[in-house]
Amino acid sequence: GAGVSQSPSNKVTEKGKDVELRCDPISGHTALYWYRQSLGQGLEFLIYFQGNSAPDKSGLPSDRFSAERTGGSVSTLTIQRTQQEDSAVYLCASSSVGAGVNTEAFFGQGTRLTVV
Amino acid sequence: SQQGEEDPQALSIQEGENATMNCSYKTSINNLQWYRQNSGRGLVHLILIRSNEREKHSGRLRVTLDTSKKSSSLLITASRAADTASYFCATALYNQGGKLIFGQGTELSVKP
């Protein structure tokens, strides 16, 4: 596609429910990133994919968080048993090769998750 | 803890003035990038400077990198009200593949 697409753009869920957030990267981009941003804060690194594998999962806050990427394209971030502190904007980005080889990241518009 | 620390956290200037934002980091990098964010949603890439570069220009933007001090600065010259946004530095960590770590950001307000 023309840009990174995230869905849904907004999600309100009840505490304890599971949610799935989706990211469609730019076609052909091998690197994909997930970040979390609380109101007025910086971007917290969650996970990074190169192709379908995730060399670095160190940012996932707890075992309630998981992510997968299939076909080197679409990625899904799943949060199980949501808590109020999970409320934030979840941002996805992709890059053609990977930031480490001097390429920029392109961001989606994010999913605003509110846990009530 | 975050790799990047930005300074100042907030900056308010008049149109036409220059704005300078600083970023410090802790570990070796492949490159450092600056991004802009409007209204708390998607970020837009501004400029990338490689670890072996010291200065880079793009339009009204000037970025410097001092790897000995592990710091970078972003200068916006002749600022405009439309430059009002949050600005983030991001570091691509050395020997960690494509991992890209962001700082806390500087909130810039340019008053007409």
Side-chain angles (χ1 to χ4, degrees):
Chain A
V4 178
S5 177
Q6 291 188 246
S7 60
S9 56
N10 289 284
K11 175 73 177 178
V12 179
T13 189
E14 292 181 352
K15 179 181 171 181
K17 294 264 176 85
D18 298 351
V19 294
E20 282 190 354
L21 311 181
R22 177 186 169 106
C23 174
D24 279 276
I26 292 173
S27 178
H29 279 194
T30 61
L32 186 147
Y33 307 83
W34 282 101
Y35 296 91
R36 177 169 74 173
Q37 187 177 33
S38 300
L39 188 63
Q41 301 297 309
L43 277 70
E44 177 188 3
F45 172 82
L46 297 179
I47 190 169
Y48 153 67
F49 288 92
Q50 185 64 44
N52 288 336
S53 65
D56 195 324
K57 303 179 182 179
S58 62
L60 294 176
S62 73
D63 59 8
R64 296 187 296 106
F65 288 72
S66 63
E68 64 175 15
R69 188 179 186 193
T70 54
S73 181
V74 171
S75 176
T76 303
L77 177 69
T78 301
I79 309 173
Q80 296 179 310
R81 305 180 303 281
T82 52
Q83 304 294 313
Q84 287 185 327
E85 60 263 28
D86 299 334
S87 296
V89 175
Y90 289 81
L91 291 162
C92 175
S94 69
S95 68
S96 58
V97 180
V101 287
N102 300 320
T103 58
E104 66 185 278
F106 294 84
F107 278 81
Q109 289 302 300
T111 293
R112 184 180 301 279
L113 175 66
T114 304
V115 182
V116 298
Chain B
S1 64
Q2 290 288 340
Q3 157 79 333
E5 298 290 336
E6 296 186 59
D7 160 57
Q9 289 187 332
L11 179 61
S12 182
I13 59 175
Q14 296 293 130
E15 254 190 338
E17 294 180 339
N18 296 341
T20 300
M21 289 159 266
N22 303 295
C23 170
S24 60
Y25 56 92
K26 297 174 184 172
T27 61
S28 296
I29 61 172
N30 285 333
N31 65 71
L32 186 144
Q33 305 180 28
W34 286 89
Y35 288 80
R36 166 189 167 131
Q37 184 180 41
N38 289 89
S39 305
R41 297 303 281 257
L43 280 76
V44 174
H45 179 265
L46 296 176
I47 197 165
L48 181 154
I49 186 165
R50 302 181 184 201
S51 60
N52 61 353
E53 297 176 315
R54 292 296 166 258
E55 188 170 314
K56 206 159 181 182
H57 297 254
S58 176
R60 294 184 295 114
L61 305 181
R62 172 179 169 252
V63 169
T64 61
L65 178 64
D66 186 335
T67 53
S68 67
K69 294 181 180 177
K70 292 187 168 58
S71 67
S72 173
S73 67
L74 170 68
L75 169 68
I76 304 174
T77 59
S79 63
R80 306 166 182 167
D83 294 330
T84 295
S86 293
Y87 292 82
F88 294 88
C89 70
T91 49
L93 305 184
Y94 178 73
N95 265 355
Q96 292 200 38
K99 188 171 180 177
L100 190 63
I101 299 298
F102 283 77
Q104 295 299 301
T106 292
E107 191 173 333
L108 174 66
S109 174
V110 182
K111 301 187 188 313

